[in-house]
Amino acid sequence: MPDQHNAPYPTRRAGRVRLPHLQEMKTRGEKWAMLTAYDMYSAAVFEEAGIPVLLVGDSAGNNVYGHDSTLAVTVEELIPLVRAVSRATQRALVIADLPFGSYQGSPEQCFHTAVRFMKEGGAHAIKLEGGLEMLAQVERLVASGIPVMVHIGFTPQAEHQLGGYRVQGKGDDAQRLVAVARAFEKAGAFALLIEMVPGDVAARITHAVSIPTVGIGAGSGCDGQVLVWQDMAGLRSGQLPRFVKQFADMRKVLGDAAQEFAAQVASGEFPGPEHTF
């Protein structure tokens, strides 16, 4: 693990990362990282590594429950994952995703779902997807003291409406996205997650708003960057999105360890005397 006293992130503070800390980093021009986490071990490792913000994403639908998309994951499936991540951390800010169908119906539905994630899951903030049609939801949560990150650009829960995984904000649509970002800032969102948007457009949004922006497939101009941890660590196989960089090959590490375990069991080498009572 890195030296805890020299790491650049505010997780090295003697306390929980709070929204003002992220705002201060934007003001100072300091970049920061966010990763998804779905269980206690990944959450603890990432916190120790200095990741200041952990997202318990609806991407658990793909990366935990084996669905083809995020649409199938439910509130009941996500809350235990949020609870595990919250319990395993002492410093990282934990954000919970609101799954498809749990908040779009009305501001009141959104409020009651968010309350469950904070009371039952221990989340410190929530994230929701959408455009201007979600302004009332954001305003309702902010008025109730619930911090909200808003996911704009490509929004996976709307993949069928958007015609699949397509880059958003091209050409004349760029100004619309800037206007959407400003509207959510005015509504009280504490941050924006920008997905699959041209880098120059994401940079425009970042400069147009005073709140932090987090990019995924949105270039280097955002204040922070997020990846799904299984993508980042190389646990996922097959074709990867263009915006993914793998920083390790965990699939090979785990595969090699499992093969060696099986071989030692078959040969009788494990368990040895030192593993026996």
Side-chain angles (χ1 to χ4, degrees):
M1 293 297 174
D3 184 345
Q4 294 190 7
H5 299 290
N6 295 327
Y9 297 126
T11 42
R12 302 315 179 193
R13 301 175 64 95
R16 181 76 65 179
V17 174
R18 303 290 185 180
L19 306 187
H21 301 148
L22 303 180
Q23 190 66 54
E24 291 165 6
M25 293 181 76
K26 180 182 178 82
T27 301
R28 294 193 299 265
E30 298 175 9
K31 306 283 190 178
W32 49 275
M34 179 166 80
L35 282 172
T36 64
Y38 314 104
D39 67 277
M40 61 174 288
Y41 287 115
S42 63
V45 168
F46 298 153
E47 180 173 81
E48 290 171 13
I51 304 298
V53 183
L54 298 177
L55 171 65
V56 187
D58 61 354
S59 50
N62 311 73
N63 296 285
V64 176
Y65 294 111
H67 298 299
D68 292 333
S69 74
T70 65
L71 297 178
V73 73
T74 66
V75 170
E76 285 68 28
E77 289 173 325
L78 281 185
I79 285 177
L81 307 187
V82 177
R83 188 182 300 124
V85 171
S86 298
R87 285 175 173 172
T89 55
Q90 289 76 48
R91 296 181 300 277
L93 179 75
V94 177
I95 302 175
D97 243 339
L98 300 190
F100 177 69
S102 71
Y103 63 94
Q104 290 96 337
S106 69
E108 284 304 305
Q109 182 200 30
C110 183
F111 167 74
H112 290 295
T113 302
V115 166
R116 287 197 64 191
F117 275 97
M118 298 191 78
K119 289 178 68 70
E120 299 175 39
H124 311 125
I126 66 94
K127 181 175 77 67
L128 57 79
E129 299 181 9
L132 296 179
E133 72 281 358
M134 289 294 111
L135 278 176
Q137 275 84 334
V138 173
E139 291 169 347
R140 178 69 173 89
L141 296 189
V142 172
S144 303
I146 300 175
V148 187
M149 172 183 281
V150 181
H151 186 151
I152 64 173
F154 175 74
T155 47
Q157 292 179 10
E159 64 168 305
H160 297 304
Q161 184 181 44
L162 295 174
Y165 281 70
R166 298 175 181 271
V167 175
Q168 304 295 305
K170 290 183 176 180
D172 294 339
D173 194 42
Q175 189 54 42
R176 179 193 65 82
L177 266 185
V178 174
V180 167
R182 285 174 169 158
F184 280 126
E185 177 185 26
K186 185 177 180 180
F190 77 86
L192 300 170
L193 191 153
I194 307 172
E195 180 169 356
M196 288 180 64
V197 168
D200 62 328
V201 177
R204 281 178 58 189
I205 294 172
T206 300
H207 285 97
V209 298
S210 62
I211 58 177
T213 63
V214 183
I216 179 167
S220 61
C222 296
D223 300 304
Q225 298 290 329
V226 62
L227 285 175
V228 170
W229 88 257
Q230 291 93 335
D231 292 346
M232 179 278 300
L235 194 61
R236 175 177 169 179
S237 62
Q239 185 174 1
L240 297 171
R242 175 175 175 171
F243 55 76
V244 169
K245 178 177 180 178
Q246 294 188 318
F247 291 81
D249 190 353
M250 286 298 298
R251 190 177 186 88
K252 184 177 188 306
V253 170
L254 285 174
D256 288 349
Q259 287 184 352
E260 182 62 20
F261 167 65
Q264 290 194 19
V265 170
S267 69
E269 183 178 352
F270 178 83
E274 68 274 27
H275 308 116
T276 303
F277 293 103

